[in-house]
Amino acid sequence: MVVGDCMTIEQIDKGKVLIVLGSSDMRDFSLDYSKMSFSDPHSKRILIRLLTLACLKTGISSYGKKMLVEALPHENGCIILLTLKPENKRKVYRIKRKNYSLCFVFGSLENLINLCVDLKDKCVTENRIYYYNNKYYVVFESVFSPKLKRMINEYADKAEGRSILTARIKENGKLIADNNGVVTFGKYFEK
């Protein structure tokens, strides 16, 4: 690559480089400002060579980075401004969810009490009892055995629309027993 007498390469800051091409440089590279673009194969090849030369001279690495190339006419030549775009690492947000949530609705208080008495000695943790829309609900926040689930199904029905209903119950329902409410109820109503 032949570099004309007037070409200058100057680093403005850590992400910007200025290339000034004079009329002799434009002639040597066979560049015409009015036809210069990345869609023209000749212009593209010369611009890539100039970008490589600018990166080598300034020590800026453009590998894997996006670059903005702007060209402006200037006294029979042109000025090219290279701007490295900062890496915008996409932030990833995760919603922390509990691993498990299961909601049961009871037709009567008697069914709820009978279940709690039967389960008071079983290993049932992380559950709460709510009263919402004239019904009693037990929300379980931990995994339990299929045998235990069958036992609960004898007294209650699994609530439909589980995640939405559970959120609504937790927000609008009246909390009756917190922190293992089933065992608390079971011991209280034990015969």
mmCIF file of all heavy atoms in Angstrom, residues 93-122:
data_model
loop_
_atom_site.group_PDB
_atom_site.id
_atom_site.type_symbol
_atom_site.label_atom_id
_atom_site.label_comp_id
_atom_site.label_asym_id
_atom_site.label_seq_id
_atom_site.Cartn_x
_atom_site.Cartn_y
_atom_site.Cartn_z
ATOM 1 N N TYR A 93 -31.277 -10.900 33.234
ATOM 2 C CA TYR A 93 -31.975 -10.891 34.510
ATOM 3 C C TYR A 93 -32.709 -12.215 34.661
ATOM 4 O O TYR A 93 -33.317 -12.697 33.721
ATOM 5 C CB TYR A 93 -32.982 -9.739 34.574
ATOM 6 C CG TYR A 93 -32.328 -8.392 34.506
ATOM 7 C CD1 TYR A 93 -32.246 -7.691 33.323
ATOM 8 C CD2 TYR A 93 -31.778 -7.820 35.646
ATOM 9 C CE1 TYR A 93 -31.638 -6.451 33.264
ATOM 10 C CE2 TYR A 93 -31.165 -6.591 35.603
ATOM 11 C CZ TYR A 93 -31.102 -5.899 34.409
ATOM 12 O OH TYR A 93 -30.490 -4.683 34.365
ATOM 13 N N ARG A 94 -32.623 -12.747 35.825
ATOM 14 C CA ARG A 94 -33.330 -13.991 36.107
ATOM 15 C C ARG A 94 -34.275 -13.776 37.270
ATOM 16 O O ARG A 94 -33.926 -13.116 38.232
ATOM 17 C CB ARG A 94 -32.344 -15.093 36.455
ATOM 18 C CG ARG A 94 -31.540 -15.523 35.262
ATOM 19 C CD ARG A 94 -30.783 -16.801 35.562
ATOM 20 N NE ARG A 94 -30.144 -17.268 34.356
ATOM 21 C CZ ARG A 94 -28.861 -17.090 34.082
ATOM 22 N NH1 ARG A 94 -28.086 -16.485 34.937
ATOM 23 N NH2 ARG A 94 -28.358 -17.532 32.960
ATOM 24 N N ILE A 95 -35.421 -14.365 37.147
ATOM 25 C CA ILE A 95 -36.391 -14.288 38.229
ATOM 26 C C ILE A 95 -36.157 -15.495 39.120
ATOM 27 O O ILE A 95 -36.175 -16.635 38.658
ATOM 28 C CB ILE A 95 -37.830 -14.304 37.678
ATOM 29 C CG1 ILE A 95 -38.051 -13.087 36.785
ATOM 30 C CG2 ILE A 95 -38.835 -14.355 38.812
ATOM 31 C CD1 ILE A 95 -39.373 -13.106 36.049
ATOM 32 N N LYS A 96 -35.908 -15.219 40.355
ATOM 33 C CA LYS A 96 -35.713 -16.316 41.293
ATOM 34 C C LYS A 96 -37.081 -16.833 41.702
ATOM 35 O O LYS A 96 -37.917 -16.097 42.187
ATOM 36 C CB LYS A 96 -34.939 -15.853 42.519
ATOM 37 C CG LYS A 96 -33.512 -15.522 42.200
ATOM 38 C CD LYS A 96 -32.751 -15.205 43.448
ATOM 39 C CE LYS A 96 -31.310 -14.915 43.120
ATOM 40 N NZ LYS A 96 -30.528 -14.626 44.301
ATOM 41 N N ARG A 97 -37.261 -18.083 41.466
ATOM 42 C CA ARG A 97 -38.531 -18.705 41.816
ATOM 43 C C ARG A 97 -38.278 -19.855 42.760
ATOM 44 O O ARG A 97 -37.249 -20.501 42.710
ATOM 45 C CB ARG A 97 -39.213 -19.257 40.565
ATOM 46 C CG ARG A 97 -39.569 -18.193 39.584
ATOM 47 C CD ARG A 97 -40.170 -18.822 38.371
ATOM 48 N NE ARG A 97 -40.269 -17.808 37.330
ATOM 49 C CZ ARG A 97 -41.279 -17.676 36.531
ATOM 50 N NH1 ARG A 97 -42.278 -18.482 36.611
ATOM 51 N NH2 ARG A 97 -41.299 -16.733 35.632
ATOM 52 N N LYS A 98 -39.251 -20.116 43.551
ATOM 53 C CA LYS A 98 -39.162 -21.299 44.385
ATOM 54 C C LYS A 98 -39.346 -22.490 43.469
ATOM 55 O O LYS A 98 -40.007 -22.420 42.445
ATOM 56 C CB LYS A 98 -40.226 -21.267 45.466
ATOM 57 C CG LYS A 98 -39.974 -20.162 46.463
ATOM 58 C CD LYS A 98 -40.705 -20.423 47.727
ATOM 59 C CE LYS A 98 -40.283 -19.368 48.727
ATOM 60 N NZ LYS A 98 -40.720 -19.648 50.031
ATOM 61 N N ASN A 99 -38.791 -23.595 43.866
ATOM 62 C CA ASN A 99 -38.826 -24.772 43.022
ATOM 63 C C ASN A 99 -40.225 -25.368 42.890
ATOM 64 O O ASN A 99 -40.526 -26.015 41.920
ATOM 65 C CB ASN A 99 -37.887 -25.840 43.587
ATOM 66 C CG ASN A 99 -36.456 -25.381 43.528
ATOM 67 O OD1 ASN A 99 -36.130 -24.498 42.767
ATOM 68 N ND2 ASN A 99 -35.610 -25.982 44.340
ATOM 69 N N TYR A 100 -41.072 -25.099 43.858
ATOM 70 C CA TYR A 100 -42.326 -25.825 43.886
ATOM 71 C C TYR A 100 -43.387 -25.006 44.597
ATOM 72 O O TYR A 100 -43.111 -24.337 45.581
ATOM 73 C CB TYR A 100 -42.085 -27.134 44.649
ATOM 74 C CG TYR A 100 -43.238 -28.082 44.621
ATOM 75 C CD1 TYR A 100 -43.447 -28.886 43.529
ATOM 76 C CD2 TYR A 100 -44.101 -28.165 45.690
ATOM 77 C CE1 TYR A 100 -44.496 -29.775 43.512
ATOM 78 C CE2 TYR A 100 -45.146 -29.053 45.678
ATOM 79 C CZ TYR A 100 -45.344 -29.858 44.585
ATOM 80 O OH TYR A 100 -46.379 -30.735 44.561
ATOM 81 N N SER A 101 -44.599 -25.069 44.104
ATOM 82 C CA SER A 101 -45.725 -24.438 44.785
ATOM 83 C C SER A 101 -46.984 -25.180 44.347
ATOM 84 O O SER A 101 -47.244 -25.327 43.166
ATOM 85 C CB SER A 101 -45.813 -22.962 44.412
ATOM 86 O OG SER A 101 -46.871 -22.360 45.101
ATOM 87 N N LEU A 102 -47.745 -25.655 45.317
ATOM 88 C CA LEU A 102 -48.955 -26.410 45.031
ATOM 89 C C LEU A 102 -50.061 -25.918 45.947
ATOM 90 O O LEU A 102 -49.856 -25.765 47.150
ATOM 91 C CB LEU A 102 -48.686 -27.903 45.261
ATOM 92 C CG LEU A 102 -49.707 -28.894 44.736
ATOM 93 C CD1 LEU A 102 -49.924 -28.717 43.235
ATOM 94 C CD2 LEU A 102 -49.229 -30.314 44.997
ATOM 95 N N CYS A 103 -51.224 -25.651 45.357
ATOM 96 C CA CYS A 103 -52.325 -25.050 46.105
ATOM 97 C C CYS A 103 -53.529 -25.995 46.096
ATOM 98 O O CYS A 103 -53.898 -26.531 45.054
ATOM 99 C CB CYS A 103 -52.683 -23.721 45.456
ATOM 100 S SG CYS A 103 -53.985 -22.823 46.292
ATOM 101 N N PHE A 104 -54.130 -26.170 47.275
ATOM 102 C CA PHE A 104 -55.329 -27.004 47.405
ATOM 103 C C PHE A 104 -56.451 -26.167 47.998
ATOM 104 O O PHE A 104 -56.228 -25.343 48.886
ATOM 105 C CB PHE A 104 -55.059 -28.207 48.314
ATOM 106 C CG PHE A 104 -54.155 -29.232 47.692
ATOM 107 C CD1 PHE A 104 -52.790 -29.174 47.898
ATOM 108 C CD2 PHE A 104 -54.680 -30.237 46.897
ATOM 109 C CE1 PHE A 104 -51.959 -30.117 47.331
ATOM 110 C CE2 PHE A 104 -53.852 -31.184 46.323
ATOM 111 C CZ PHE A 104 -52.485 -31.128 46.533
ATOM 112 N N VAL A 105 -57.678 -26.386 47.504
ATOM 113 C CA VAL A 105 -58.853 -25.663 47.981
ATOM 114 C C VAL A 105 -59.755 -26.654 48.737
ATOM 115 O O VAL A 105 -59.944 -27.786 48.306
ATOM 116 C CB VAL A 105 -59.615 -24.973 46.820
ATOM 117 C CG1 VAL A 105 -60.089 -25.961 45.782
ATOM 118 C CG2 VAL A 105 -60.770 -24.137 47.338
ATOM 119 N N PHE A 106 -60.275 -26.187 49.863
ATOM 120 C CA PHE A 106 -61.109 -27.030 50.725
ATOM 121 C C PHE A 106 -62.549 -26.553 50.661
ATOM 122 O O PHE A 106 -62.825 -25.364 50.752
ATOM 123 C CB PHE A 106 -60.605 -26.981 52.170
ATOM 124 C CG PHE A 106 -59.276 -27.648 52.336
ATOM 125 C CD1 PHE A 106 -58.113 -26.971 52.035
ATOM 126 C CD2 PHE A 106 -59.200 -28.957 52.769
ATOM 127 C CE1 PHE A 106 -56.889 -27.590 52.159
ATOM 128 C CE2 PHE A 106 -57.979 -29.587 52.905
ATOM 129 C CZ PHE A 106 -56.818 -28.902 52.595
ATOM 130 N N GLY A 107 -63.469 -27.537 50.523
ATOM 131 C CA GLY A 107 -64.884 -27.216 50.461
ATOM 132 C C GLY A 107 -65.448 -26.786 51.802
ATOM 133 O O GLY A 107 -66.428 -26.054 51.872
ATOM 134 N N SER A 108 -64.802 -27.233 52.883
ATOM 135 C CA SER A 108 -65.308 -26.875 54.214
ATOM 136 C C SER A 108 -64.136 -26.796 55.188
ATOM 137 O O SER A 108 -63.077 -27.378 54.980
ATOM 138 C CB SER A 108 -66.321 -27.918 54.693
ATOM 139 O OG SER A 108 -65.676 -29.151 54.959
ATOM 140 N N LEU A 109 -64.385 -26.105 56.282
ATOM 141 C CA LEU A 109 -63.391 -25.993 57.347
ATOM 142 C C LEU A 109 -63.162 -27.356 57.987
ATOM 143 O O LEU A 109 -62.047 -27.688 58.383
ATOM 144 C CB LEU A 109 -63.848 -24.961 58.389
ATOM 145 C CG LEU A 109 -62.920 -24.747 59.579
ATOM 146 C CD1 LEU A 109 -61.547 -24.284 59.117
ATOM 147 C CD2 LEU A 109 -63.518 -23.746 60.548
ATOM 148 N N GLU A 110 -64.204 -28.166 58.053
ATOM 149 C CA GLU A 110 -64.093 -29.498 58.651
ATOM 150 C C GLU A 110 -63.085 -30.367 57.886
ATOM 151 O O GLU A 110 -62.266 -31.057 58.496
ATOM 152 C CB GLU A 110 -65.473 -30.175 58.663
ATOM 153 C CG GLU A 110 -65.460 -31.527 59.332
ATOM 154 C CD GLU A 110 -66.849 -32.194 59.327
ATOM 155 O OE1 GLU A 110 -67.837 -31.520 59.016
ATOM 156 O OE2 GLU A 110 -66.885 -33.393 59.625
ATOM 157 N N ASN A 111 -63.129 -30.311 56.543
ATOM 158 C CA ASN A 111 -62.155 -31.065 55.733
ATOM 159 C C ASN A 111 -60.731 -30.584 56.003
ATOM 160 O O ASN A 111 -59.810 -31.391 56.095
ATOM 161 C CB ASN A 111 -62.469 -30.943 54.246
ATOM 162 C CG ASN A 111 -63.640 -31.789 53.820
ATOM 163 O OD1 ASN A 111 -64.117 -32.640 54.584
ATOM 164 N ND2 ASN A 111 -64.119 -31.561 52.614
ATOM 165 N N LEU A 112 -60.549 -29.281 56.117
ATOM 166 C CA LEU A 112 -59.226 -28.724 56.397
ATOM 167 C C LEU A 112 -58.709 -29.202 57.753
ATOM 168 O O LEU A 112 -57.568 -29.648 57.876
ATOM 169 C CB LEU A 112 -59.267 -27.190 56.355
ATOM 170 C CG LEU A 112 -57.979 -26.471 56.771
ATOM 171 C CD1 LEU A 112 -56.831 -26.805 55.840
ATOM 172 C CD2 LEU A 112 -58.207 -24.965 56.810
ATOM 173 N N ILE A 113 -59.566 -29.153 58.759
ATOM 174 C CA ILE A 113 -59.162 -29.584 60.106
ATOM 175 C C ILE A 113 -58.824 -31.077 60.116
ATOM 176 O O ILE A 113 -57.807 -31.483 60.696
ATOM 177 C CB ILE A 113 -60.264 -29.249 61.144
ATOM 178 C CG1 ILE A 113 -60.364 -27.725 61.310
ATOM 179 C CG2 ILE A 113 -59.988 -29.924 62.484
ATOM 180 C CD1 ILE A 113 -61.553 -27.257 62.118
ATOM 181 N N ASN A 114 -59.645 -31.895 59.473
ATOM 182 C CA ASN A 114 -59.380 -33.336 59.425
ATOM 183 C C ASN A 114 -58.042 -33.638 58.742
ATOM 184 O O ASN A 114 -57.288 -34.493 59.200
ATOM 185 C CB ASN A 114 -60.514 -34.078 58.724
ATOM 186 C CG ASN A 114 -61.776 -34.117 59.558
ATOM 187 O OD1 ASN A 114 -61.727 -34.001 60.782
ATOM 188 N ND2 ASN A 114 -62.919 -34.266 58.901
ATOM 189 N N LEU A 115 -57.746 -32.930 57.659
ATOM 190 C CA LEU A 115 -56.464 -33.118 56.983
ATOM 191 C C LEU A 115 -55.304 -32.732 57.903
ATOM 192 O O LEU A 115 -54.317 -33.467 58.011
ATOM 193 C CB LEU A 115 -56.387 -32.292 55.693
ATOM 194 C CG LEU A 115 -55.016 -32.333 55.009
ATOM 195 C CD1 LEU A 115 -54.765 -33.672 54.359
ATOM 196 C CD2 LEU A 115 -54.872 -31.209 54.015
ATOM 197 N N CYS A 116 -55.430 -31.593 58.545
ATOM 198 C CA CYS A 116 -54.361 -31.116 59.431
ATOM 199 C C CYS A 116 -54.110 -32.087 60.582
ATOM 200 O O CYS A 116 -52.958 -32.334 60.955
ATOM 201 C CB CYS A 116 -54.693 -29.723 59.964
ATOM 202 S SG CYS A 116 -54.686 -28.459 58.682
ATOM 203 N N VAL A 117 -55.176 -32.665 61.135
ATOM 204 C CA VAL A 117 -55.027 -33.644 62.229
ATOM 205 C C VAL A 117 -54.309 -34.890 61.700
ATOM 206 O O VAL A 117 -53.414 -35.425 62.358
ATOM 207 C CB VAL A 117 -56.398 -33.993 62.855
ATOM 208 C CG1 VAL A 117 -56.296 -35.195 63.771
ATOM 209 C CG2 VAL A 117 -56.955 -32.787 63.599
ATOM 210 N N ASP A 118 -54.678 -35.339 60.488
ATOM 211 C CA ASP A 118 -54.039 -36.526 59.906
ATOM 212 C C ASP A 118 -52.569 -36.279 59.547
ATOM 213 O O ASP A 118 -51.754 -37.195 59.602
ATOM 214 C CB ASP A 118 -54.789 -36.988 58.660
ATOM 215 C CG ASP A 118 -56.095 -37.694 58.988
ATOM 216 O OD1 ASP A 118 -56.334 -37.966 60.183
ATOM 217 O OD2 ASP A 118 -56.872 -37.963 58.055
ATOM 218 N N LEU A 119 -52.234 -35.046 59.184
ATOM 219 C CA LEU A 119 -50.868 -34.742 58.730
ATOM 220 C C LEU A 119 -49.957 -34.188 59.819
ATOM 221 O O LEU A 119 -48.788 -33.937 59.559
ATOM 222 C CB LEU A 119 -50.903 -33.724 57.574
ATOM 223 C CG LEU A 119 -51.468 -34.185 56.251
ATOM 224 C CD1 LEU A 119 -51.386 -33.071 55.228
ATOM 225 C CD2 LEU A 119 -50.736 -35.410 55.728
ATOM 226 N N LYS A 120 -50.455 -34.002 61.016
ATOM 227 C CA LYS A 120 -49.660 -33.334 62.059
ATOM 228 C C LYS A 120 -48.350 -34.046 62.379
ATOM 229 O O LYS A 120 -47.375 -33.413 62.733
ATOM 230 C CB LYS A 120 -50.483 -33.114 63.327
ATOM 231 C CG LYS A 120 -50.778 -34.355 64.114
ATOM 232 C CD LYS A 120 -51.557 -34.021 65.346
ATOM 233 C CE LYS A 120 -51.912 -35.177 66.214
ATOM 234 N NZ LYS A 120 -51.753 -36.509 65.788
ATOM 235 N N ASP A 121 -48.316 -35.360 62.207
ATOM 236 C CA ASP A 121 -47.100 -36.119 62.506
ATOM 237 C C ASP A 121 -46.285 -36.452 61.254
ATOM 238 O O ASP A 121 -45.236 -37.077 61.361
ATOM 239 C CB ASP A 121 -47.463 -37.421 63.237
ATOM 240 C CG ASP A 121 -48.099 -37.130 64.596
ATOM 241 O OD1 ASP A 121 -47.691 -36.137 65.238
ATOM 242 O OD2 ASP A 121 -49.003 -37.881 64.993
ATOM 243 N N LYS A 122 -46.773 -36.066 60.099
ATOM 244 C CA LYS A 122 -46.046 -36.331 58.856
ATOM 245 C C LYS A 122 -45.026 -35.223 58.625
ATOM 246 O O LYS A 122 -45.102 -34.148 59.197
ATOM 247 C CB LYS A 122 -47.022 -36.361 57.662
ATOM 248 C CG LYS A 122 -48.170 -37.311 57.822
ATOM 249 C CD LYS A 122 -47.764 -38.718 57.495
ATOM 250 C CE LYS A 122 -48.963 -39.607 57.403
ATOM 251 N NZ LYS A 122 -49.084 -40.591 58.406
#
